[in-house]
Amino acid sequence: MSIGRVPCPDANSLVTPMGRKRPSAIDDFYASTSTALTRVDPNFISSYGDDVVGLLFVGLISSTENYFRDILGFTLTICPVAQAYSSDEKVQLGSLLWAEGSLQNRSAFEFHAFSSAESIRKAIQNFTNYQVRTNGTFALMLNEYDKLCELRHAVVHSGHIVAGKNAIKLGLRRSAIPLKVKLGYAELQAAGSVCTALVQAANTELFEALVVRWATTWRNLPSWTPANEVKLLRAIRAAFLSKRDGANKTITGASKTNQFESDVRAEFNL
């Protein structure tokens, strides 16, 4: 039986403009993952099984990848050290054509997948000239995130069936029968916790790195303009600050801009 040619809906009807003013990268991550983790209740998942959870699981990884595109794009926009170090990196022509001559900060990463720990480390090194701290929480969470990415490969590319390469990387027991990824409500929540911890750790470490550069390295560059120093520091703070965490009082002094600036100056004797 063949149903013949079936056209795809008009592509313009499948997309919609995003708001001009977007939240910080971490708050955008919180918003998107919250939807995946809370909109479908356990009873629905137990009735409709792994396929629905698989889609939500892939959404978590996608939101995590998007965080890194956003925050590294911002870093390229504001950091002269990152700009100089990444100046030889290649950018897709389609990105330039779509942007009509103005390179958007996310365009550098349209060809780059952030679906493995190694790809995240390389992107941070190659585009920002920063190496993830070896024993920091960020590095530890990258190892945990890597496990999710191996499972994601099976969900996305092979109908939940685990490929041999992914099975070996995960350290699974050998099996003569193909193995299938099994996801339920609890596993989805656990995956969400891993992604959240990774993004929080990355956000903290990259924020600290940019503040250090603002206080030290940038000031020794010919491009440094003292009149812009306050504006630059506030831009860094706004890009990394989570209003959600601030409202939940999980960030000390999150709403005190002047105190933050004073603390940074005191830390670096500026």
Side-chain angles (χ1 to χ4, degrees):
M1 177 183 174
S2 173
I3 60 175
R5 178 181 178 273
V6 179
C8 176
D10 177 14
N12 287 297
S13 69
L14 303 177
V15 296
T16 186
M18 298 182 67
R20 287 186 177 275
K21 186 176 181 180
R22 299 182 62 198
S24 63
I26 190 169
D27 275 341
D28 196 21
F29 167 83
Y30 284 152
S32 59
T33 55
S34 177
T35 298
L37 292 169
T38 62
R39 293 296 176 87
V40 181
D41 63 53
N43 292 330
F44 182 90
I45 289 177
S46 64
S47 298
Y48 293 96
D50 295 342
D51 291 333
V52 171
V53 185
L55 295 174
L56 298 173
F57 174 73
V58 170
L60 292 177
I61 305 298
S62 178
S63 295
T64 306
E65 290 191 80
N66 191 57
Y67 164 80
F68 284 105
R69 287 191 178 91
D70 276 348
I71 208 64
L72 294 182
F74 166 79
T75 302
L76 274 180
T77 299
I78 199 171
C79 180
V81 174
Q83 292 167 3
Y85 192 81
S86 64
S87 59
D88 289 332
E89 292 291 331
K90 296 178 175 60
V91 177
Q92 296 282 20
L93 178 61
S95 300
L96 294 175
L97 294 174
W98 178 254
E100 297 183 349
S102 60
L103 180 61
Q104 299 170 350
N105 55 23
R106 285 174 55 95
S107 300
F109 306 104
E110 287 189 354
F111 68 95
H112 195 97
F114 292 92
S115 55
S116 73
E118 185 61 23
S119 65
I120 292 173
R121 286 193 182 92
K122 283 185 177 179
I124 292 174
Q125 171 63 41
N126 294 344
F127 285 92
T128 71
N129 193 22
Y130 176 78
Q131 289 187 336
V132 177
R133 291 198 295 261
T134 305
N135 297 319
T137 305
F138 185 12
L140 294 175
M141 290 314 305
L142 278 172
N143 294 333
E144 299 305 310
Y145 176 71
D146 219 22
K147 299 172 187 176
L148 298 184
C149 291
E150 298 299 335
L151 296 171
R152 167 198 168 276
H153 187 277
V155 175
V156 173
H157 297 291
S158 56
H160 290 233
I161 297 175
V162 181
K165 179 186 74 171
N166 306 110
I168 290 174
K169 287 185 176 181
L170 287 167
L172 300 179
R173 299 185 188 90
R174 291 187 177 275
S175 172
I177 303 173
L179 299 175
K180 185 177 181 181
V181 176
K182 187 179 188 307
L183 297 168
Y185 183 81
E187 289 76 20
L188 180 67
Q189 300 301 316
S193 295
V194 169
C195 292
T196 300
L198 170 67
V199 168
Q200 290 173 336
N203 204 63
T204 298
E205 187 167 325
L206 295 175
F207 168 70
E208 291 174 354
L210 276 188
V211 170
V212 170
R213 287 183 180 182
W214 172 88
T216 58
T217 315
W218 293 1
R219 295 169 185 272
N220 297 321
L221 298 174
S223 59
W224 177 253
T225 305
N228 292 335
E229 66 174 355
V230 173
K231 179 181 177 181
L232 289 171
L233 183 58
R234 291 180 178 179
I236 293 170
R237 179 178 180 274
F240 287 88
L241 178 63
S242 166
K243 291 184 177 180
R244 194 197 79 163
D245 288 339
N248 292 336
K249 301 186 184 304
T250 56
I251 304 177
T252 303
S255 61
K256 300 175 181 177
T257 305
N258 293 335
Q259 184 61 51
F260 164 71
E261 293 171 8
S262 297
D263 291 343
V264 172
R265 292 184 184 280
E267 176 72 21
F268 296 95
N269 296 316
L270 297 174

